[in-house]
């Protein structure tokens, strides 16, 4: 079973061939997905939109950054306000 970050990273990799939200970022065999890695990459690359914007974009990744407990969440937007 996969967690949310593993599933979304796998889907993105299948569609684009790019490892995203993982460490290491260059080895699909060893890649470990984590919502914290998603947050770091999005901030570094400056590709952040508001939740309201993401809710209108089918396939957008909606991320809740991990808090002090280390638990976050990520899902795909359906473009209609749901995931």
């Amino acid at each position: 079973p996969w967690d949310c970050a593993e599933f979304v990273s796998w889907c993105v990799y299948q569609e684009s061939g790019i490892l995203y939200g993982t460490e290491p970022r260059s080895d699909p065999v060893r890649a470990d997905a984590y919502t914290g890695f998603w947050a770091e990459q999005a901030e570094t690359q400056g590709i952040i939109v508001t939740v309201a914007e993401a809710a209108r974009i089918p396939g957008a990744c909606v991320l809740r950054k991990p808090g002090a407990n280390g638990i976050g969440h990520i899902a795909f937007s359906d473009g209609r306000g749901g995931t």
Side-chain angles (χ1 to χ4, degrees), residues 9-47:
S9 291
W10 180 83
C11 289
V12 169
Y13 182 75
Q14 294 305 304
E15 185 62 27
S16 68
I18 298 169
L19 282 173
Y20 205 89
T22 68
E23 287 292 336
R25 296 181 186 161
S26 59
D27 184 354
V29 174
R30 293 185 22 231
D32 181 33
Y34 168 56
T35 52
F37 299 150
W38 275 92
E40 289 171 13
Q41 283 184 268
E43 290 169 356
T44 299
Q45 295 177 2
I47 51 173

Short mmCIF file of all heavy atoms in Angstrom, two decimals, residues 9-47:
data_model
loop_
_atom_site.label_atom_id
_atom_site.label_comp_id
_atom_site.label_asym_id
_atom_site.label_seq_id
_atom_site.Cartn_x
_atom_site.Cartn_y
_atom_site.Cartn_z
N SER A 9 3.52 11.09 -6.31
CA SER A 9 4.84 11.09 -6.96
C SER A 9 4.90 10.05 -8.07
O SER A 9 5.45 10.32 -9.15
CB SER A 9 5.95 10.82 -5.93
OG SER A 9 6.08 11.91 -5.04
N TRP A 10 4.33 8.87 -7.84
CA TRP A 10 4.32 7.82 -8.87
C TRP A 10 3.52 8.27 -10.09
O TRP A 10 3.96 8.10 -11.22
CB TRP A 10 3.73 6.53 -8.30
CG TRP A 10 3.69 5.42 -9.28
CD1 TRP A 10 4.71 4.57 -9.61
CD2 TRP A 10 2.58 5.03 -10.09
NE1 TRP A 10 4.29 3.67 -10.57
CE2 TRP A 10 2.98 3.93 -10.88
CE3 TRP A 10 1.27 5.50 -10.21
CZ2 TRP A 10 2.14 3.29 -11.77
CZ3 TRP A 10 0.42 4.86 -11.11
CH2 TRP A 10 0.87 3.78 -11.88
N CYS A 11 2.34 8.88 -9.86
CA CYS A 11 1.52 9.35 -10.97
C CYS A 11 2.25 10.41 -11.79
O CYS A 11 2.25 10.37 -13.02
CB CYS A 11 0.20 9.93 -10.45
SG CYS A 11 -0.94 8.70 -9.80
N VAL A 12 2.88 11.37 -11.12
CA VAL A 12 3.62 12.42 -11.82
C VAL A 12 4.76 11.81 -12.62
O VAL A 12 5.00 12.18 -13.77
CB VAL A 12 4.12 13.50 -10.83
CG1 VAL A 12 5.10 14.45 -11.49
CG2 VAL A 12 2.93 14.27 -10.25
N TYR A 13 5.47 10.87 -12.02
CA TYR A 13 6.58 10.22 -12.72
C TYR A 13 6.08 9.44 -13.94
O TYR A 13 6.71 9.49 -15.01
CB TYR A 13 7.35 9.30 -11.77
CG TYR A 13 8.54 8.65 -12.42
CD1 TYR A 13 9.70 9.40 -12.67
CD2 TYR A 13 8.52 7.32 -12.80
CE1 TYR A 13 10.80 8.82 -13.28
CE2 TYR A 13 9.62 6.74 -13.40
CZ TYR A 13 10.76 7.49 -13.65
OH TYR A 13 11.84 6.92 -14.26
N GLN A 14 4.97 8.74 -13.81
CA GLN A 14 4.43 7.98 -14.94
C GLN A 14 4.06 8.89 -16.10
O GLN A 14 4.25 8.54 -17.26
CB GLN A 14 3.20 7.17 -14.51
CG GLN A 14 3.49 6.08 -13.52
CD GLN A 14 4.57 5.12 -13.99
OE1 GLN A 14 4.47 4.54 -15.06
NE2 GLN A 14 5.61 4.98 -13.20
N GLU A 15 3.53 10.06 -15.79
CA GLU A 15 3.08 10.99 -16.84
C GLU A 15 4.22 11.81 -17.43
O GLU A 15 4.25 12.08 -18.62
CB GLU A 15 2.01 11.92 -16.27
CG GLU A 15 1.38 12.84 -17.29
CD GLU A 15 0.64 12.11 -18.41
OE1 GLU A 15 0.16 10.99 -18.20
OE2 GLU A 15 0.57 12.68 -19.52
N SER A 16 5.17 12.22 -16.59
CA SER A 16 6.19 13.18 -17.04
C SER A 16 7.61 12.62 -17.10
O SER A 16 8.48 13.23 -17.72
CB SER A 16 6.19 14.40 -16.11
OG SER A 16 6.68 14.03 -14.81
N GLY A 17 7.86 11.51 -16.39
CA GLY A 17 9.22 11.00 -16.29
C GLY A 17 10.08 11.79 -15.33
O GLY A 17 11.29 11.60 -15.27
N ILE A 18 9.46 12.67 -14.55
CA ILE A 18 10.18 13.52 -13.59
C ILE A 18 9.86 13.05 -12.17
O ILE A 18 8.69 12.88 -11.82
CB ILE A 18 9.77 15.00 -13.75
CG1 ILE A 18 10.15 15.50 -15.15
CG2 ILE A 18 10.41 15.86 -12.67
CD1 ILE A 18 9.56 16.86 -15.49
N LEU A 19 10.90 12.82 -11.38
CA LEU A 19 10.71 12.51 -9.96
C LEU A 19 10.44 13.82 -9.23
O LEU A 19 11.25 14.75 -9.28
CB LEU A 19 11.94 11.84 -9.38
CG LEU A 19 12.12 10.38 -9.72
CD1 LEU A 19 13.47 9.88 -9.22
CD2 LEU A 19 11.00 9.55 -9.15
N TYR A 20 9.31 13.89 -8.56
CA TYR A 20 8.95 15.11 -7.83
C TYR A 20 8.46 14.70 -6.45
O TYR A 20 7.78 13.70 -6.29
CB TYR A 20 7.86 15.87 -8.58
CG TYR A 20 7.86 17.34 -8.25
CD1 TYR A 20 8.63 18.23 -8.99
CD2 TYR A 20 7.15 17.83 -7.18
CE1 TYR A 20 8.67 19.57 -8.67
CE2 TYR A 20 7.18 19.17 -6.86
CZ TYR A 20 7.94 20.03 -7.60
OH TYR A 20 7.99 21.36 -7.28
N GLY A 21 8.84 15.48 -5.46
CA GLY A 21 8.45 15.18 -4.09
C GLY A 21 9.20 14.01 -3.50
O GLY A 21 8.72 13.37 -2.57
N THR A 22 10.39 13.74 -4.02
CA THR A 22 11.18 12.59 -3.55
C THR A 22 12.61 12.99 -3.25
O THR A 22 13.10 14.01 -3.69
CB THR A 22 11.23 11.47 -4.61
OG1 THR A 22 12.00 11.92 -5.73
CG2 THR A 22 9.85 11.04 -5.06
N GLU A 23 13.26 12.14 -2.51
CA GLU A 23 14.71 12.17 -2.31
C GLU A 23 15.18 10.74 -2.41
O GLU A 23 14.58 9.87 -1.77
CB GLU A 23 15.08 12.76 -0.95
CG GLU A 23 14.90 14.25 -0.84
CD GLU A 23 15.86 15.05 -1.70
OE1 GLU A 23 16.94 14.53 -2.04
OE2 GLU A 23 15.52 16.17 -2.05
N PRO A 24 16.19 10.39 -3.15
CA PRO A 24 16.85 11.24 -4.12
C PRO A 24 15.92 11.54 -5.31
O PRO A 24 14.94 10.85 -5.52
CB PRO A 24 18.06 10.41 -4.58
CG PRO A 24 17.65 9.00 -4.37
CD PRO A 24 16.72 9.01 -3.19
N ARG A 25 16.26 12.57 -6.04
CA ARG A 25 15.44 13.01 -7.16
C ARG A 25 15.89 12.43 -8.49
O ARG A 25 15.30 12.73 -9.51
CB ARG A 25 15.45 14.53 -7.24
CG ARG A 25 14.81 15.15 -6.02
CD ARG A 25 14.79 16.64 -6.09
NE ARG A 25 14.28 17.15 -4.83
CZ ARG A 25 14.47 18.37 -4.41
NH1 ARG A 25 15.14 19.23 -5.14
NH2 ARG A 25 13.98 18.75 -3.25
N SER A 26 16.93 11.61 -8.47
CA SER A 26 17.47 11.11 -9.73
C SER A 26 17.42 9.58 -9.86
O SER A 26 17.86 9.05 -10.85
CB SER A 26 18.93 11.56 -9.85
OG SER A 26 19.69 11.06 -8.75
N ASP A 27 16.87 8.90 -8.87
CA ASP A 27 16.87 7.44 -8.90
C ASP A 27 15.49 6.91 -8.54
O ASP A 27 15.12 6.82 -7.37
CB ASP A 27 17.91 6.90 -7.92
CG ASP A 27 18.04 5.39 -7.96
OD1 ASP A 27 17.25 4.72 -8.67
OD2 ASP A 27 18.93 4.87 -7.27
N PRO A 28 14.69 6.52 -9.55
CA PRO A 28 13.34 6.05 -9.26
C PRO A 28 13.30 4.78 -8.41
O PRO A 28 12.30 4.52 -7.74
CB PRO A 28 12.73 5.79 -10.64
CG PRO A 28 13.81 5.89 -11.63
CD PRO A 28 14.99 6.53 -10.98
N VAL A 29 14.36 4.00 -8.40
CA VAL A 29 14.38 2.78 -7.60
C VAL A 29 14.52 3.10 -6.11
O VAL A 29 13.88 2.47 -5.27
CB VAL A 29 15.52 1.84 -8.07
CG1 VAL A 29 15.66 0.64 -7.16
CG2 VAL A 29 15.29 1.41 -9.50
N ARG A 30 15.32 4.10 -5.79
CA ARG A 30 15.57 4.46 -4.38
C ARG A 30 14.73 5.63 -3.89
O ARG A 30 14.76 5.98 -2.71
CB ARG A 30 17.05 4.81 -4.20
CG ARG A 30 17.95 3.61 -4.38
CD ARG A 30 19.41 3.91 -4.08
NE ARG A 30 19.62 5.06 -3.23
CZ ARG A 30 20.45 6.07 -3.51
NH1 ARG A 30 21.19 6.05 -4.59
NH2 ARG A 30 20.59 7.08 -2.68
N ALA A 31 13.98 6.27 -4.77
CA ALA A 31 13.24 7.49 -4.42
C ALA A 31 12.27 7.24 -3.27
O ALA A 31 11.51 6.28 -3.27
CB ALA A 31 12.49 8.01 -5.63
N ASP A 32 12.31 8.12 -2.28
CA ASP A 32 11.40 8.08 -1.14
C ASP A 32 10.54 9.33 -1.21
O ASP A 32 11.07 10.45 -1.16
CB ASP A 32 12.20 8.03 0.16
CG ASP A 32 11.31 7.98 1.38
OD1 ASP A 32 10.21 7.38 1.30
OD2 ASP A 32 11.70 8.53 2.42
N ALA A 33 9.24 9.18 -1.35
CA ALA A 33 8.33 10.32 -1.45
C ALA A 33 7.87 10.77 -0.06
O ALA A 33 7.66 9.95 0.83
CB ALA A 33 7.13 9.95 -2.30
N TYR A 34 7.69 12.08 0.09
CA TYR A 34 7.28 12.66 1.38
C TYR A 34 6.70 14.03 1.10
O TYR A 34 7.22 14.78 0.27
CB TYR A 34 8.51 12.74 2.30
CG TYR A 34 8.34 13.54 3.55
CD1 TYR A 34 7.33 13.25 4.47
CD2 TYR A 34 9.19 14.59 3.85
CE1 TYR A 34 7.18 13.99 5.63
CE2 TYR A 34 9.06 15.33 5.00
CZ TYR A 34 8.05 15.02 5.90
OH TYR A 34 7.91 15.75 7.04
N THR A 35 5.60 14.37 1.79
CA THR A 35 4.97 15.67 1.56
C THR A 35 5.92 16.82 1.87
O THR A 35 5.84 17.88 1.26
CB THR A 35 3.68 15.82 2.39
OG1 THR A 35 3.96 15.51 3.76
CG2 THR A 35 2.57 14.92 1.86
N GLY A 36 6.84 16.61 2.79
CA GLY A 36 7.84 17.65 3.08
C GLY A 36 8.75 17.91 1.89
O GLY A 36 9.12 19.06 1.62
N PHE A 37 9.10 16.85 1.14
CA PHE A 37 9.90 17.04 -0.08
C PHE A 37 9.09 17.79 -1.13
O PHE A 37 9.62 18.62 -1.86
CB PHE A 37 10.38 15.70 -0.64
CG PHE A 37 11.26 14.90 0.27
CD1 PHE A 37 11.26 13.52 0.22
CD2 PHE A 37 12.11 15.52 1.18
CE1 PHE A 37 12.07 12.76 1.04
CE2 PHE A 37 12.92 14.77 2.02
CZ PHE A 37 12.91 13.39 1.95
N TRP A 38 7.79 17.48 -1.23
CA TRP A 38 6.92 18.22 -2.16
C TRP A 38 6.93 19.70 -1.81
O TRP A 38 7.07 20.56 -2.68
CB TRP A 38 5.48 17.68 -2.09
CG TRP A 38 5.26 16.50 -2.96
CD1 TRP A 38 5.39 15.19 -2.62
CD2 TRP A 38 4.86 16.52 -4.32
NE1 TRP A 38 5.10 14.39 -3.70
CE2 TRP A 38 4.77 15.18 -4.75
CE3 TRP A 38 4.57 17.54 -5.23
CZ2 TRP A 38 4.39 14.84 -6.04
CZ3 TRP A 38 4.20 17.19 -6.51
CH2 TRP A 38 4.12 15.87 -6.91
N ALA A 39 6.78 20.03 -0.53
CA ALA A 39 6.75 21.43 -0.10
C ALA A 39 8.08 22.13 -0.40
O ALA A 39 8.09 23.25 -0.92
CB ALA A 39 6.44 21.51 1.40
N GLU A 40 9.20 21.47 -0.11
CA GLU A 40 10.51 22.06 -0.38
C GLU A 40 10.70 22.36 -1.86
O GLU A 40 11.15 23.44 -2.23
CB GLU A 40 11.63 21.11 0.09
CG GLU A 40 11.77 20.98 1.57
CD GLU A 40 12.74 19.87 1.97
OE1 GLU A 40 13.48 19.35 1.10
OE2 GLU A 40 12.74 19.50 3.16
N GLN A 41 10.36 21.39 -2.72
CA GLN A 41 10.53 21.60 -4.15
C GLN A 41 9.61 22.70 -4.68
O GLN A 41 10.04 23.51 -5.50
CB GLN A 41 10.29 20.29 -4.91
CG GLN A 41 11.46 19.34 -4.81
CD GLN A 41 11.24 18.09 -5.63
OE1 GLN A 41 10.73 17.12 -5.12
NE2 GLN A 41 11.61 18.14 -6.89
N ALA A 42 8.38 22.72 -4.25
CA ALA A 42 7.44 23.75 -4.71
C ALA A 42 7.93 25.14 -4.30
O ALA A 42 7.89 26.08 -5.09
CB ALA A 42 6.05 23.49 -4.15
N GLU A 43 8.41 25.28 -3.07
CA GLU A 43 8.91 26.57 -2.60
C GLU A 43 10.17 26.98 -3.34
O GLU A 43 10.31 28.12 -3.76
CB GLU A 43 9.14 26.52 -1.09
CG GLU A 43 7.85 26.45 -0.31
CD GLU A 43 8.05 26.12 1.17
OE1 GLU A 43 9.19 25.87 1.61
OE2 GLU A 43 7.04 26.10 1.89
N THR A 44 11.11 26.04 -3.52
CA THR A 44 12.36 26.32 -4.21
C THR A 44 12.11 26.75 -5.65
O THR A 44 12.74 27.67 -6.16
CB THR A 44 13.28 25.09 -4.20
OG1 THR A 44 13.58 24.77 -2.85
CG2 THR A 44 14.57 25.34 -4.95
N GLN A 45 11.17 26.07 -6.31
CA GLN A 45 10.89 26.35 -7.72
C GLN A 45 9.84 27.45 -7.92
O GLN A 45 9.58 27.85 -9.05
CB GLN A 45 10.46 25.07 -8.43
CG GLN A 45 11.59 24.06 -8.45
CD GLN A 45 11.18 22.74 -9.08
OE1 GLN A 45 10.07 22.56 -9.54
NE2 GLN A 45 12.10 21.80 -9.09
N GLY A 46 9.26 27.93 -6.83
CA GLY A 46 8.29 29.03 -6.91
C GLY A 46 7.03 28.67 -7.69
O GLY A 46 6.51 29.51 -8.42
N ILE A 47 6.55 27.45 -7.53
CA ILE A 47 5.37 27.03 -8.28
C ILE A 47 4.19 26.77 -7.33
O ILE A 47 3.55 25.73 -7.37
CB ILE A 47 5.66 25.80 -9.16
CG1 ILE A 47 6.32 24.70 -8.34
CG2 ILE A 47 6.52 26.16 -10.34
CD1 ILE A 47 6.50 23.40 -9.10
#
